[in-house]
């Protein structure tokens, strides 16, 4: 077909050599929506693929690969701890050191009761009083020196000192970490999801 537009190439999928859709004159029938030619058939064989699907046979269905991985991949994220807030570090370290101090006092009380039930204080105390005693005095009394109230008071004082020192050192450590992270970028962590 020749004309003002020159030789028109033959279109595909059953459209023939007629005029272009914009050049068609309206006819008495209802206008159908324009469907451009498809390079591949529609998988569902819908409106766009009915013409090509009817001409070429049954539409191709994509089959899953046989050697594909069935286990999901574990996602990993690489993060960097850029800054530690000193106020939050102080609060957490204060609570943890209080818990550690309470555990220390309870452990000391339990240890003293076990040693007293085993007779360690009486045996060792008798040996020390005989070694340090004389005719005028009975010697050093270990049982009265290491009584339970005195041991608990001493352990409580040590626990309070530990609370203050641990809180101060953790807060100072947060400041030092922030300074060093400004130079080297901080500690890098690799986080992964559970499988």
């Amino acid at each position: 077909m020749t004309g003002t537009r020159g030789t028109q190439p033959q279109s595909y999928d059953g459209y023939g050599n007629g005029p272009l859709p914009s050049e068609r004159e309206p006819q008495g029938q209802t206008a159908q929506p324009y469907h451009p030619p498809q390079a591949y058939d529609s998988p569902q064989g819908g409106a766009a693929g009915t013409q090509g699907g009817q001409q070429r046979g049954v539409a191709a269905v994509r089959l899953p690969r046989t050697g594909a991985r069935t286990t999901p991949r574990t996602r990993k994220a690489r993060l960097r701890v850029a800054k530690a807030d000193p106020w939050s570090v102080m609060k957490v370290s204060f609570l943890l050191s209080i818990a550690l101090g309470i555990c220390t006092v309870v452990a000391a009380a339990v240890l003293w009761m076990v040693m007293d039930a085993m007779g360690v204080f009486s045996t060792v105390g008798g040996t020390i009083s005989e070694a340090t005693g004389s005719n005028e005095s009975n010697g050093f009394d270990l049982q009265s020196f290491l009584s339970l109230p005195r041991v608990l008071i001493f352990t409580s004082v040590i626990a309070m000192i530990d609370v203050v020192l641990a809180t101060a050192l953790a807060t100072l450590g947060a400041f030092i970490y922030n300074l060093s992270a400004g130079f080297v970028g901080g500690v890098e962590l690799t986080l992964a999801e559970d499988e």
Side-chain angles (χ1 to χ4, degrees):
M1 176 177 170
T2 59
T4 57
R5 299 175 58 89
T7 304
Q8 299 291 325
Q10 189 175 18
S11 60
Y12 298 100
D13 290 336
Y15 280 97
N17 293 327
L20 294 174
S22 62
E23 298 173 349
R24 291 182 189 156
E25 297 180 3
Q27 298 176 354
Q29 8 177 315
T30 58
Q32 296 291 329
Y34 172 70
H35 298 292
Q38 300 290 325
Y40 299 101
D41 290 337
S42 175
Q44 302 298 327
T50 50
Q51 296 172 351
Q54 289 172 356
Q55 290 178 0
R56 294 189 183 98
V58 181
V61 179
R62 188 172 184 180
L63 298 175
R65 291 173 24 201
T66 56
R69 288 177 49 151
T70 56
T71 58
R73 291 174 50 186
T74 303
R75 291 192 303 174
K76 294 183 179 180
R78 195 169 184 181
L79 303 176
R80 185 168 47 91
V81 182
K83 183 181 179 182
D85 186 23
W87 176 248
S88 63
V89 169
M90 185 183 74
K91 290 188 292 186
V92 171
S93 63
F94 179 70
L95 290 178
L96 290 178
S97 58
I98 284 179
L100 184 62
I102 292 173
C103 291
T104 303
V105 172
V106 172
V110 170
L111 181 64
W112 188 92
M113 290 179 192
V114 169
M115 291 177 69
D116 187 47
M118 292 173 59
V120 173
F121 294 125
S122 60
T123 305
V124 175
T127 305
I128 291 177
S129 61
E130 287 179 4
T132 57
S134 60
N135 294 334
E136 293 84 18
S137 63
N138 293 332
F140 181 73
D141 190 8
L142 182 65
Q143 287 181 318
S144 62
F145 181 74
L146 292 180
S147 62
L148 182 59
R150 187 174 287 184
V151 168
L152 290 181
I153 289 173
F154 180 74
T155 308
S156 300
V157 170
I158 295 296
M160 285 189 289
I161 293 173
D162 285 342
V163 166
V164 174
L165 285 178
T167 305
L169 288 176
T171 308
L172 182 63
F175 280 111
I176 293 174
Y177 177 80
N178 290 338
L179 288 175
S180 62
F183 291 109
V184 298
V187 176
E188 289 188 357
L189 303 175
T190 301
L191 305 178
E193 289 182 346
D194 292 334
E195 295 183 1

